[in-house]
Amino acid sequence: MQTGKISILNRWRHWLQTGIVAMLLLSLSMGLSAATLLPSGNAITDGQSILRYALPIDNKPVRELQNSLEDIANHLRGKQWSTISSDVKKAAAVIKSKSADILKGVPDSKQAEAQTLLNEIQTDIDALAIATADKDKPQVQAKRTDALTKIGTLEASMVTDFPYTVPAEYSNLPQLKGRATIAIKTNKGEIALTVDGYNAPVTAGNFVDLVQRGFYNNLAFTRAENDYVLQIGDPPGDEVGFIDPKTKKYRAVPLEVMVKGDKEPMYGITMEDAGRFREEPVLPFSSYGALAMARPEGDPNGGSSQVFFFLFEPELTPAGRNLLDGRYTVFGYVTSGQEVLGQLKPNDKIESAKVIEGADLLKA
């Protein structure tokens, strides 16, 4: 009996560890023929930008303001200064003519703070215009980042209520009704990440709950594939996931994917199996340091505590043209310390993980 149990557990662990890499290799082996079936265009590769766009808001002027500044990144590499100047002018025009419309999306209790943010964004855009005229690339990057960070804060203030109800069959699982910031200390350095409960409340809630329990403290990374994935979450002993001390059972977390244009996530089915492989998830695998839930291949609802960081390599897995999107739940992005990810190897450890913002949004 014991031997059989260990054999099954070993197979389960093997599936969790190899399923992701198998899909990556499949996506590579299919090459350009697969890519032609997938979304085209310039995918966003900055995690913080993805998180801004993923906020559940409907305020066209603030998105217009954001779009103008986000677009600069695409032109800065080629030093297309005339196009950058045009983007800056568009942003300035939105601030000048549509500030009142932007403020309409902010609750009354946050109006004063929002007006201050708009004033500061105006100052950043003025400085950005000067840096653009001087063709000062470092200053353009810095002022663009300053303005977009404030725009993200402004947009976050527009979210007042959690926008949907998680299906009853998953209501027993922890849920994150918003976003949380996690500080992770490894033996190679520190990492900060944001997990998104707006688009993956069950997966993000599970992770935040485990972080608060200290589950990942002193836990070793089990897999580090160069240019692919960095995986952690396999606890010591025979178990391959989290055993809830209340139920004494494996906590199984379903596949959870919010598709662009939908009002709530899909559960328990991949986008491909749902016939939606041409569509895009709100939280894609297009950013270095995307955080996702590992699961056995063939079992959409088999995730638990094992998670992986996607080590985005554009030459091998083109942004917006990989076969991972919609097959695994992305539920957050590394926002600082990306350089640490590439240094971590199997047996390196998370020394500590702490929720530094958003713990009050966890409904366990």
Side-chain angles (χ1 to χ4, degrees):
M1 293 291 291
Q2 185 68 19
T3 301
K5 178 182 178 183
I6 292 174
S7 176
I8 291 171
L9 287 170
N10 284 341
R11 285 203 299 272
W12 188 265
R13 179 179 285 112
H14 177 73
W15 287 333
L16 280 168
Q17 292 180 335
T18 61
I20 303 157
V21 176
M23 279 309 307
L24 280 162
L25 292 176
L26 173 62
S27 69
L28 296 180
S29 68
M30 294 182 72
L32 293 177
S33 61
T36 60
L37 299 176
L38 294 165
S40 60
N42 293 323
I44 301 171
T45 60
D46 176 63
Q48 295 192 34
S49 177
I50 293 171
L51 288 166
R52 284 189 288 269
Y53 279 119
L55 284 167
I57 63 171
D58 184 20
N59 184 290
K60 292 182 179 179
V62 81
R63 288 303 195 197
E64 186 179 348
L65 174 62
Q66 180 190 345
N67 291 345
S68 298
L69 298 182
E70 300 279 10
D71 190 55
I72 290 173
N74 294 326
H75 306 297
L76 200 54
R77 287 188 298 248
K79 298 182 179 180
Q80 297 171 321
W81 294 110
S82 61
T83 307
I84 294 170
S85 179
S86 177
D87 285 333
V88 175
K89 289 177 181 177
K90 288 178 184 177
V94 172
I95 285 282
K96 182 178 180 180
S97 63
K98 299 183 180 181
S99 288
D101 292 328
I102 291 173
L103 289 172
K104 287 179 181 177
V106 180
D108 291 343
S109 61
K110 299 179 179 179
Q111 282 286 319
E113 178 185 355
Q115 183 62 68
T116 299
L117 282 168
L118 279 174
N119 293 339
E120 292 175 352
I121 293 166
Q122 175 67 73
T123 300
D124 289 334
I125 291 174
D126 290 342
L128 184 56
I130 294 172
T132 300
D134 292 340
K135 298 183 179 179
D136 187 337
K137 185 175 179 178
Q139 272 298 300
V140 169
Q141 290 173 321
K143 293 305 177 182
R144 171 185 174 273
T145 298
D146 288 345
L148 282 171
T149 298
K150 295 181 180 75
I151 289 170
T153 301
L154 178 62
E155 290 172 337
S157 73
M158 296 179 178
V159 184
T160 54
D161 298 307
F162 195 76
Y164 56 89
T165 300
V166 169
E169 61 192 293
Y170 307 121
S171 62
N172 62 311
L173 296 170
Q175 298 174 34
L176 184 67
K177 299 297 181 112
R179 288 181 174 172
T181 303
I182 314 293
I184 295 177
K185 182 181 179 182
T186 76
N187 60 304
K188 294 290 180 64
E190 297 183 357
I191 297 167
L193 58 93
T194 296
V195 293
D196 185 0
Y198 290 125
N199 295 287
V202 174
T203 314
N206 173 71
F207 182 74
V208 170
D209 178 61
L210 294 182
V211 168
Q212 290 192 308
R213 291 172 183 267
F215 179 89
Y216 296 100
N217 294 348
N218 299 310
L219 199 61
F221 290 92
T222 54
R223 180 169 292 272
E225 302 286 340
N226 290 338
D227 300 328
Y228 291 120
V229 296
L230 174 68
Q231 187 164 327
I232 195 167
D234 186 0
D238 292 338
E239 305 296 347
V240 296
F242 174 66
I243 305 301
D244 192 321
K246 290 183 178 180
T247 64
K248 310 299 181 185
K249 295 181 179 179
Y250 180 92
R251 181 193 282 174
V253 178
L255 178 66
E256 182 178 41
V257 181
M258 179 75 84
V259 181
K260 286 185 177 180
D262 286 1
K263 299 296 185 182
E264 57 188 54
M266 297 191 308
Y267 288 90
I269 186 171
T270 67
M271 288 176 63
E272 181 178 7
D273 287 342
R276 306 184 69 179
F277 66 93
R278 292 179 182 273
E279 299 180 60
E280 298 179 54
V282 174
L283 303 178
F285 277 101
S286 61
S287 177
Y288 186 98
L291 177 65
M293 173 65 74
R295 63 175 179 82
E297 181 61 22
D299 185 0
N301 295 324
S304 183
S305 60
Q306 294 198 45
V307 299
F308 65 96
F309 296 95
F310 185 44
L311 307 183
F312 172 70
E313 174 47 64
E315 295 301 320
L316 298 178
T317 51
R321 294 174 177 265
N322 64 75
L323 297 183
L324 289 177
D325 282 339
R327 290 178 179 268
Y328 295 90
T329 303
V330 175
F331 62 98
Y333 297 89
V334 170
T335 54
S336 69
Q338 287 91 341
E339 70 282 355
V340 175
L341 292 179
Q343 301 174 30
L344 293 165
K345 305 298 179 186
N347 298 319
D348 283 326
K349 290 186 175 182
I350 286 181
E351 295 178 351
S352 66
K354 297 180 180 179
V355 182
I356 59 175
E357 187 176 347
D360 59 312
L361 301 175
L362 178 67
K363 310 302 177 184

